[in-house]
Amino acid sequence: MLEVPRDEEAFAIVDRIYEAAFAAEQWPGALEATSAITRSASGSIFMISDHSPLRAIGEAQAEPLIDAFMADWKFSESVQRMCSTQPASFVRVDDFMTGDEIERDPIYAWARDFGVGSPVCTSIPMPSGELVLFVFQRWLKDGKYDQAAIDLLNGLRPHLARAGLVAGRLGLERARTAVSILSEIELPAAVMSGSGRVLTVNRLLEDMKDVFIPQAGGGMVLADLSANALFQQAIMHNADHRVVRSIPVPAVEGRPALIVHLLPLRRAAHDIFSGADILVAATAVSISATVPSPNILSGLFDLTPAEARLAVVLASGRSVQEAALEIGIAVKSARTYLDRIFRKTGTSRQSQLVALLTSARPFS
């Protein structure tokens, strides 16, 4: 039988929930404290949207379950049922499922393998149109949630909802502050969601209308077609691969060449409720006769080690044949690598590649 927590225990958990609203890294601790008083194995938060990648946070021991959820949630009848029902209180998910549906649901299968079951869930719609799911699960050996545990969770639900709303608002304010600070050091910057929706920009990037073009629905594209193809590709791959990319933008009359950097916001910089996933920053290139090292080129342009080595040799003025001989690969392989390097750097000729590589500098 569930032991009813003392008032001071409940108040302490409420305090932790509101602390998490101001410091996203505190959410796992708040969930763990909630799990402790409800005899739960784990607690997790999922942010679901039609326009952004799934975001999640949870207790450390819940990470395998979160990984499974993120891989299979679109194929899970239980998740789709909760999203369509949008329960305004904590409910037993089993009560909304048939036995056959539970048996074939991939999320349930992962949970059983992990030793947990009997999930309870509530949903909280956000003003941005996203849906937040708070999910708690018990160990199989502890059986299903009784009404006393659900009542405890429902007593905390208003605090979870308010903390989530506050966290979302504060997260956006922190993003605005960050890009504003970057403008003070003359760095044009923006923060975007994982789907490419612009959340905030600083005045420097906003003034670069010949480079960054706003789109309907809050998106953004680069004016240069080749650079934009790489930019959109990086956004598309960011959710799964946590892409760090640097994209060259050719010079035009009155403006030097640029490199646009995309950096994923992770860990303490990533707030599940704000939707801030990507930092975009632009730096002007400086002409130099020095070519960055292969390691730097790999990071800047997502080159493989072999491609980066070839790029460095080509930038020193060697022909493809000479470069192939120097690094010990076949000329045919060198040409294949060069084609990939062209695609990744947005260039089409060796002279363009050399000009880019002798002006490239890492984001700092």
Side-chain angles (χ1 to χ4, degrees):
M1 183 175 178
L2 184 71
E3 182 179 343
V4 178
R6 299 186 303 274
D7 287 345
E8 57 267 28
E9 290 178 314
F11 290 148
I13 291 173
V14 171
D15 286 345
R16 297 192 72 166
I17 289 171
Y18 286 114
E19 181 184 13
F22 291 87
E25 66 273 14
Q26 299 300 321
W27 276 113
L31 293 169
E32 184 177 350
T34 305
S35 290
I37 67 166
T38 57
R39 287 176 56 210
S40 298
S42 67
S44 307
I45 308 171
F46 301 95
M47 179 79 83
I48 295 175
S49 169
D50 291 335
H51 309 293
S52 299
L54 177 71
R55 301 192 297 278
I57 194 168
E59 301 175 49
Q61 66 265 30
E63 288 182 4
L65 292 172
I66 291 174
D67 290 344
F69 188 103
M70 297 186 78
D72 292 330
W73 71 276
K74 290 184 179 180
F75 310 105
S76 167
E77 187 65 38
S78 61
V79 177
Q80 302 308 318
R81 194 70 49 79
M82 290 297 99
C83 289
S84 61
T85 306
Q86 296 191 15
S89 63
F90 275 96
V91 297
R92 301 179 187 89
V93 178
D94 293 15
D95 294 342
F96 293 76
M97 305 278 289
T98 67
D100 287 342
E101 288 173 337
I102 290 173
E103 191 60 33
R104 65 173 180 260
D105 192 293
I107 301 298
Y108 269 81
W110 269 97
R112 285 193 297 268
D113 290 345
F114 194 67
V116 300
S118 190
V120 292
C121 172
T122 191
S123 68
I124 298 171
M126 301 292 284
S128 58
E130 295 169 310
L131 188 69
V132 180
L133 299 181
F134 285 87
V135 180
F136 290 87
Q137 291 176 281
R138 277 187 169 174
W139 297 113
L140 286 169
K141 63 182 177 59
D142 291 330
K144 294 189 175 184
Y145 281 88
D146 52 20
Q147 192 58 46
I150 292 176
D151 289 343
L152 276 174
L153 288 168
N154 281 329
L156 295 173
R157 185 183 184 277
H159 304 293
L160 293 169
R162 281 192 289 269
L165 292 170
V166 169
R169 181 67 182 176
L170 286 176
L172 289 177
E173 289 302 323
R174 283 193 290 268
R176 292 189 183 99
T177 300
V179 297
S180 177
I181 290 171
L182 290 174
S183 73
E184 297 301 319
I185 59 173
E186 301 299 317
L187 190 64
V191 171
M192 305 176 74
S193 71
S195 63
R197 181 168 57 91
V198 178
L199 302 178
T200 183
V201 299
N202 66 15
R203 58 177 178 79
L204 295 177
L205 190 136
E206 200 168 39
D207 289 342
M208 298 175 69
K209 294 181 173 59
D210 62 329
V211 179
F212 299 94
I213 303 174
Q215 297 289 289
M220 183 168 68
V221 299
L222 301 185
D224 183 84
L225 294 179
S226 297
N228 186 56
L230 297 173
F231 185 70
Q232 301 304 326
Q233 182 186 67
I235 292 171
M236 182 176 65
H237 291 164
N238 178 68
D240 295 330
H241 304 295
R242 302 185 178 185
V243 170
V244 179
R245 290 294 302 272
S246 294
I247 297 168
V249 179
V252 297
E253 186 175 352
R255 176 185 58 71
L258 302 169
I259 295 182
V260 175
H261 308 270
L262 290 91
L263 305 176
L265 298 175
R266 298 293 183 233
R267 298 186 183 275
H270 181 246
D271 187 335
I272 179 177
F273 288 100
S274 72
D277 294 312
I278 304 169
L279 173 68
V280 178
T283 56
V285 299
S286 56
I287 301 302
S288 167
T290 304
V291 180
S293 70
N295 285 342
I296 290 177
L297 291 182
S298 293
L300 280 175
F301 301 113
D302 196 30
L303 303 181
T304 67
E307 291 164 357
R309 287 195 299 272
L310 178 66
V312 168
V313 177
L314 291 174
S316 66
R318 309 301 206 279
S319 67
V320 174
Q321 292 84 354
E322 291 170 335
L325 180 63
E326 182 167 333
I327 64 176
I329 62 174
V331 173
K332 182 177 180 181
S333 297
R335 294 192 186 281
T336 299
Y337 292 163
L338 183 58
D339 285 340
R340 294 176 189 163
I341 293 168
F342 283 155
R343 287 198 300 272
K344 292 179 180 181
T345 59
T347 56
S348 57
R349 297 192 303 274
Q350 192 169 333
S351 60
Q352 290 178 326
L353 177 66
V354 171
L356 172 67
L357 297 185
T358 54
S359 63
R361 289 292 178 273
F363 180 76
S364 59

